[in-house]
Amino acid sequence: MNCIIIEDQAPAQRILKKYLEDLGTIELIAVFSDPIEARNFLSTTPIDLLFLDINLPKISGISFLKSLSFKPQVILTTAYTEYALEGYELDVVDYLLKPFSFERFLKAVDKVQKPSEKQESPENSEALKSDHFIKIGYDYVKIDLSEILYLEADGDYCHIQLPDARHTSSEPLKKWLEHLEGYHYPRIHKSFVVNPNKIQKISGNMVYLENGAELPIGRAYKEDFLTKYLK
């Protein structure tokens, strides 16, 4: 299991790092003070657990959580109790009130669903079904989500490119990211989401797919995308 920390206070960062190090079973892969940087990171990199401070610069932790298309399991951390109810309404794992002890930290972590448990759960199996129906005019056409080459945003619409067809959905790209939850298709540009299994080559700021399509890599997404997929 891996995790990231979004926390703008250095002392709180150090405490969480120490507790995770002492625990030894959860890999910390990144720490962010800036929630916008964290959001860009999460758009291309799937994680299991997020430690999220509520009082952040630029955007609150609650608003940040609501903005995510792919939601990892979340443990909120804050010095204020008034956000507890709203946090639980967002289905967070637990709510750690600062300052918290290692014992309280352990209690929260013990509630986290392990990746193997998620894989075996009926809810997760349902989310990863390949078949999805898309409305085209008055008809509903079945597509295989695993065969999608890429998605392209077009205002309130979204183009879905398959190996042998291209469909236009009346749902925006944000909604399609929800449909694709669990597939971990990275967003490489504000307008493009790509199936990494269909990538043939990456050169400069371009992604080349097996069907000959060439897609741009946005500057805001490039570092996280290349770090994740060019290991």
Side-chain angles (χ1 to χ4, degrees), residues 27 33 40 50 62 116 119 138 145 150 197 210 214:
E27 179 187 6
S33 299
N40 292 336
L50 166 61
I62 295 293
S116 58
Q119 188 174 21
Y138 294 103
L145 297 179
Y150 66 89
N197 298 318
E210 58 187 29
E214 302 177 7

Side-chain angles (χ1 to χ4, degrees), residues 126-138:
E126 183 70 20
L128 290 178
K129 281 186 176 180
S130 292
D131 293 341
H132 181 81
F133 283 89
I134 177 174
K135 188 176 182 181
I136 307 293
Y138 294 103

Side-chain angles (χ1 to χ4, degrees), residues 108-220:
V109 169
D110 285 342
K111 297 178 183 179
V112 176
Q113 193 176 27
K114 307 301 185 291
S116 58
E117 295 170 348
K118 293 172 67 178
Q119 188 174 21
E120 294 169 1
S121 70
E123 291 182 350
N124 195 63
S125 298
E126 183 70 20
L128 290 178
K129 281 186 176 180
S130 292
D131 293 341
H132 181 81
F133 283 89
I134 177 174
K135 188 176 182 181
I136 307 293
Y138 294 103
D139 301 323
Y140 288 87
V141 178
K142 184 172 71 173
I143 66 172
D144 185 342
L145 297 179
S146 66
E147 286 301 310
I148 289 175
L149 297 175
Y150 66 89
L151 298 97
E152 180 181 359
D154 185 3
D156 292 332
Y157 295 86
C158 183
H159 304 297
I160 297 92
Q161 184 66 54
L162 300 168
D164 56 357
R166 180 180 172 90
H167 298 300
T168 298
S169 169
S170 58
E171 294 181 314
L173 183 60
K174 181 179 180 180
K175 188 66 177 180
W176 272 92
L177 289 172
E178 295 177 10
H179 295 325
L180 292 168
E181 186 170 3
Y183 282 89
H184 305 311
Y185 291 175
R187 192 167 189 170
I188 61 171
H189 186 276
K190 66 179 181 179
S191 298
F192 291 99
V193 171
V194 67
N195 182 343
N197 298 318
K198 307 298 183 180
I199 294 175
Q200 188 174 68
K201 182 177 69 172
I202 301 171
S203 179
N205 293 322
M206 299 296 294
V207 167
Y208 298 84
L209 303 186
E210 58 187 29
N211 72 331
E214 302 177 7
L215 307 179
I217 304 174
R219 184 173 61 180

Side-chain angles (χ1 to χ4, degrees), residues 39 42-47 50 64-74 173-187 193:
R39 194 172 188 277
L42 288 171
S43 69
T44 59
T45 307
I47 65 162
L50 166 61
F64 175 90
L65 183 55
K66 290 179 178 178
S67 75
L68 295 181
S69 298
F70 297 103
K71 290 184 174 61
Q73 298 183 85
V74 176
L173 183 60
K174 181 179 180 180
K175 188 66 177 180
W176 272 92
L177 289 172
E178 295 177 10
H179 295 325
L180 292 168
E181 186 170 3
Y183 282 89
H184 305 311
Y185 291 175
R187 192 167 189 170
V193 171

